[in-house]
Amino acid sequence: MKPHVLLLAAILAAACAQAQIQVVLDARQREQTIENFGSSTGMHGDHIARHWNPATMDAIAELLMDREKGIGLSCFRIQIGAGTVGEAGGIRTPYRRTECVLQPDGTYDWGKDAGVRWWRRKAAEYGLPTVIGYLNSPPVQFTENGFGFKTNKVFSANLKPEHYADYAEFLARVALHYQQQGLPFTHISPVNEPQWSWDGVPGQAKQEGSPWTNEQVARLVRLADARFRSNKVSAKLLIPEAADYHALYEPMPERLFSAASDQIRAFWQPGSPDFVGRLASVESRVAGHAYFNDGSIDQMLRTRTAVRDAIGKTDPGLRFWQTEYCLLGKGWTGGLPMDEVDETVAALLVARNIHVDLTVANATAWQWWTSTEPKAGSVPRYYLIETDAKGAETYRATKLLWALGHYSRFVRPGMVRIAAETGLPPRRALEGVMVSAFL
């Protein structure tokens, strides 16, 4: 392995035309073991899997999952729907609406999961070791308002109190069904970005979603753990999918979502009223999203250091997974003027975010938001593969796909990050050539 690692460092150093960089590798200094690099169906992926030509879909899956012709992802996140299909579901964009296998009469119709099933089979075909089923909302028959999103800004889960156990049972039933089909999910993620209100006007809502307080997440997770254990479900529960790194490591009393902050301590510190860290079905992984922590190099370093330190202080056995990121918001250029960012620069900014999550936060997994989506703007920001904005079955691999692929294709699960020193201070190390090494 050593010659291969040295060759990588030499190529990176040679890429710097303005200055020479000496890279010192130390295989004796070992950091985290990499678990996966991934992407997700987002909301568009389920839609096209159900409606597009199979040959087109096969080609898209090949770009994402094949190690020779594509980027060789080792993880895929698949959205499990809440039942917002049709205009009555209240979501304005058709491809953001979902089917649900749970029917209004309480029966299960497994013909409604065609998109989920298609992606799960593809992940199995390509041998992806990690497959996560995630939900943005409980099934609509369990929600307070009958929609898969909030219709007010009250910061509380859109789940009727009497349906917590029903939602837990639903999670176990879905996981068990795929397990019995020989297509098990390795993880089920039952809440998504609990810090946001996810409110909308029926007919104009953007997507499924629900806020959750820490207490509500813990209540659901305890019930789901009991259902998983009694049904011998192999999947692990993955939480909390925090929308912002700050919510992982600090209380936020001044924010609306203060009841969904300080989540590392809340869920993994023994003695916390919301402690769920020793439940058999709860994965010892902290899932967080890197959004809005990319406005400057100083911010990138500060937030990742804080995540790493909070985990080390709470439970050194925990691992950190960055489970969702794209170039969202206004600060994603990292301080660069917008007119200096083309598709190539955008791809390099993605690579920098991956690098800093791996080398500063010690992330053992890194996952992109959405694999496919219709073209939006002159520079791709949200998707790896661009599809036609008018709905035609055409697609284009963006440079963002290959930026992620430089990691996912070559840094495989089980590889260990080792020390790679350039002698540059941390801030300067993120302004030029960034070196990481894996054994």
Side-chain angles (χ1 to χ4, degrees), residues 22-316:
Q22 182 178 29
V23 180
V24 179
L25 304 182
D26 185 354
R28 296 168 300 177
Q29 184 177 333
R30 302 191 174 200
E31 306 296 341
Q32 76 270 36
T33 299
I34 299 301
E35 296 182 272
N36 63 73
F37 288 92
S39 185
S40 82
T41 58
M43 293 165 282
H44 185 254
D46 180 82
H47 175 82
I48 62 176
R50 286 189 279 119
H51 298 294
W52 279 25
N53 185 291
T56 306
M57 290 304 304
D58 286 344
I60 289 174
E62 182 179 77
L63 274 174
L64 294 166
M65 299 178 185
D66 191 272
R67 288 189 66 186
E68 298 299 324
K69 300 178 181 179
I71 66 169
L73 295 176
S74 47
C75 170
F76 205 69
R77 300 174 71 230
I78 302 172
Q79 183 183 14
I80 296 169
T84 54
V85 70
E87 293 186 6
I91 294 175
R92 67 187 183 199
T93 305
Y95 74 75
R96 294 187 171 191
R97 304 167 184 170
T98 67
E99 299 270 11
C100 184
V101 294
L102 180 62
Q103 302 304 290
D105 64 359
T107 62
Y108 282 75
D109 181 353
W110 296 106
K112 298 291 186 181
D113 69 341
V116 177
R117 189 169 63 253
W118 191 90
W119 282 110
R120 182 62 193 89
R121 285 177 173 167
K122 280 296 169 184
E125 179 182 321
Y126 283 100
L128 272 63
T130 303
V131 185
I132 303 167
Y134 72 96
L135 299 97
N136 290 324
S137 166
V140 294
Q141 50 266 60
F142 298 155
T143 63
E144 289 181 333
N145 55 14
F147 293 106
F149 53 89
K150 293 280 280 191
T151 46
N152 57 42
K153 287 186 179 295
V154 176
F155 193 84
S156 182
N158 190 24
L159 178 63
K160 290 180 178 178
E162 64 268 28
H163 285 314
Y164 272 77
D166 295 322
Y167 185 29
E169 180 65 25
F170 171 79
L171 297 172
R173 285 287 299 273
V174 170
L176 185 61
H177 171 79
Y178 279 90
Q179 183 176 316
Q180 292 171 339
Q181 298 298 308
L183 298 168
F185 288 101
T186 56
H187 299 81
I188 295 293
S189 175
V191 303
N192 177 65
E193 298 191 343
Q195 289 75 26
W196 302 146
S197 58
W198 296 114
D199 60 293
V201 176
Q204 294 299 314
K206 293 182 178 180
Q207 69 173 80
E208 296 175 3
S210 173
W212 298 81
T213 68
N214 289 345
E215 184 276 332
Q216 290 171 333
V217 173
R219 178 183 176 187
L220 173 65
V221 166
R222 288 166 183 148
L223 290 166
D225 169 69
R227 299 304 192 280
F228 277 38
R229 287 187 289 107
S230 63
N231 287 282
K232 295 182 171 57
V233 172
S234 61
K236 297 291 187 180
L237 293 161
L238 183 66
I239 59 170
E241 302 282 8
D244 186 303
Y245 283 170
H246 293 82
L248 288 175
Y249 59 78
E250 63 183 2
M252 306 182 101
E254 76 286 358
R255 301 283 188 92
L256 173 66
F257 57 79
S258 61
S261 63
D262 198 15
Q263 293 191 307
I264 292 172
R265 183 205 59 80
F267 298 129
W268 283 282
Q269 180 68 57
S272 163
D274 302 315
F275 177 62
V276 293
R278 290 180 184 155
L279 297 179
S281 301
V282 174
E283 181 66 282
S284 57
R285 305 292 183 269
V286 176
H289 301 176
Y291 296 126
F292 312 118
N293 290 283
D294 51 10
S296 69
I297 291 175
D298 288 338
Q299 182 188 37
M300 294 171 73
L301 289 169
R302 182 174 62 252
T303 53
R304 274 69 176 187
T305 301
V307 169
R308 181 194 67 207
D309 291 349
I311 288 175
K313 180 180 179 181
T314 303
D315 180 355

Side-chain angles (χ1 to χ4, degrees), residues 349-430:
L349 290 170
V350 170
R352 181 168 70 177
N353 274 275
I354 299 172
H355 173 83
V356 74
D357 280 322
L358 295 177
T359 61
V360 180
N362 282 345
T364 63
W366 201 95
Q367 299 156 17
W368 180 257
W369 160 226
T370 187
S371 300
T372 67
E373 204 164 274
K375 180 178 180 178
S378 58
V379 177
R381 294 169 51 190
Y382 315 116
Y383 43 79
L384 302 175
I385 298 171
E386 181 179 276
T387 65
D388 182 70
K390 295 183 179 180
E393 290 189 24
T394 58
Y395 65 91
R396 178 182 73 89
T398 71
K399 290 180 171 63
L400 277 64
L401 175 82
W402 302 112
L404 175 57
H406 273 283
Y407 288 93
S408 60
R409 195 175 182 186
F410 304 108
V411 184
R412 303 302 298 173
M415 286 188 176
V416 179
R417 186 170 71 85
I418 62 172
E421 298 295 338
T422 61
L424 297 174
R427 196 181 190 286
R428 278 199 61 200
L430 292 178

